[in-house]
Amino acid sequence: MTLTTRKAAVAVAIAATALAAAAGGLVFAGVYDVGADTPHTRPVYALLETVRERSIAARADELQAPPDLNSPARIRQGAGNYQAMCSGCHLAPGMQSTELSRGLYPAPPDLSKTPVDPRHAFWTIKHGIKASGMPAWGASVGDEYIWNMAALLQALPSMDAAQYRALVAESGGHSHGGGETAAGDDHHGRSAPAETQGHGHHEAVSQLAASEPGAASESAHAPADGKPHAHAPTPKAPTKAVAPQAAPAEPPTDEHQAHEHAH
């Protein structure tokens, strides 16, 4: 190695060390805003997007999708789990955005409009994505049920709201062989408070039901902010006051009767 080459290598090493020190200083100073309501800078967003896409592809492209992935039975069963577990973030035909889909960043894709490779869908549903809000459903859901949701995703962009509602109604609902949450519970097995049941994650179910025939008359009474409000108790009819009855007179004693006869 010549003297010029050694000097160039030393200069590169010094520059790299200085850059690392500057980056470390910025990290510890808390300069970068990690708030979900502040978008990443373009270079950071591009880097994270590339890392995510390449990471999923490197692992999912090795998977072999079931040959009957387009079977009606798979699609139908996957619809019930998708509605319960995914639609709150990724929406469904005929659904508007929800509290979750509006608040997450990066914004979850609208899978009712976005085609997705079934192998990539399976891997992402099973393993989740770090620091994105996407859970690893494989911790509680078996592979066959995950493939069923991947099957549903292949057909979802071509469905209208009525077709999707029919599939959900025929699906058997939230059913994947264990770990399902009961009505009124969240997906962590905790009982939701009475004033929040049917809200938040289950807003998707409410929006789906709102498009059913006859729902207009009910939605006319819904609060404008979409939150369940406590109802004032129905006043009871005033009870009629009852005058107290006089106590019965005590029977006269023998001494009292003798006094009356003396007069």
Side-chain angles (χ1 to χ4, degrees), residues 184-259:
D185 288 355
D186 62 17
H187 280 289
H188 303 282
R190 301 172 298 203
S191 179
E195 64 272 16
T196 61
Q197 289 183 11
H199 194 52
H201 180 71
H202 298 288
E203 180 185 356
V205 180
S206 301
Q207 291 197 14
L208 182 68
S211 59
E212 293 286 354
S217 59
E218 294 182 9
S219 61
H221 299 285
D225 58 2
K227 298 179 180 180
H229 292 174
H231 296 282
T234 304
K236 296 181 179 179
T239 57
K240 184 178 180 180
V242 179
Q245 296 180 354
E250 296 182 2
T253 62
D254 293 339
E255 181 182 356
H256 183 267
Q257 290 178 350
H259 179 73

Side-chain angles (χ1 to χ4, degrees), residues 4-16:
T4 303
T5 304
R6 286 199 298 270
K7 287 182 178 180
V10 170
V12 170
I14 292 173

Side-chain angles (χ1 to χ4, degrees), residues 53 56-58 60-61 63 116-125 147:
E53 291 177 353
I56 294 173
D61 287 350
L63 299 174
V116 58
D117 185 300
R119 298 168 302 168
H120 292 200
F122 173 88
W123 191 93
T124 304
I125 294 170
W147 279 120

Side-chain angles (χ1 to χ4, degrees), residues 104-129:
L104 286 173
Y105 182 83
D110 182 351
L111 295 180
S112 70
K113 300 176 181 177
T114 306
V116 58
D117 185 300
R119 298 168 302 168
H120 292 200
F122 173 88
W123 191 93
T124 304
I125 294 170
K126 180 172 181 175
H127 298 287
I129 299 177

Side-chain angles (χ1 to χ4, degrees), residues 88-89 91 95-104 198-204 207 225-228:
C89 293
L91 309 182
M95 278 183 60
Q96 300 299 317
S97 62
T98 67
E99 290 175 334
L100 284 175
S101 68
R102 290 191 298 269
L104 286 173
H199 194 52
H201 180 71
H202 298 288
E203 180 185 356
Q207 291 197 14
D225 58 2
K227 298 179 180 180

Side-chain angles (χ1 to χ4, degrees), residues 32 39-51:
Y32 195 83
H40 288 305
T41 61
R42 288 187 179 182
V44 170
Y45 189 92
L47 174 63
L48 293 176
E49 190 173 39
T50 302
V51 168

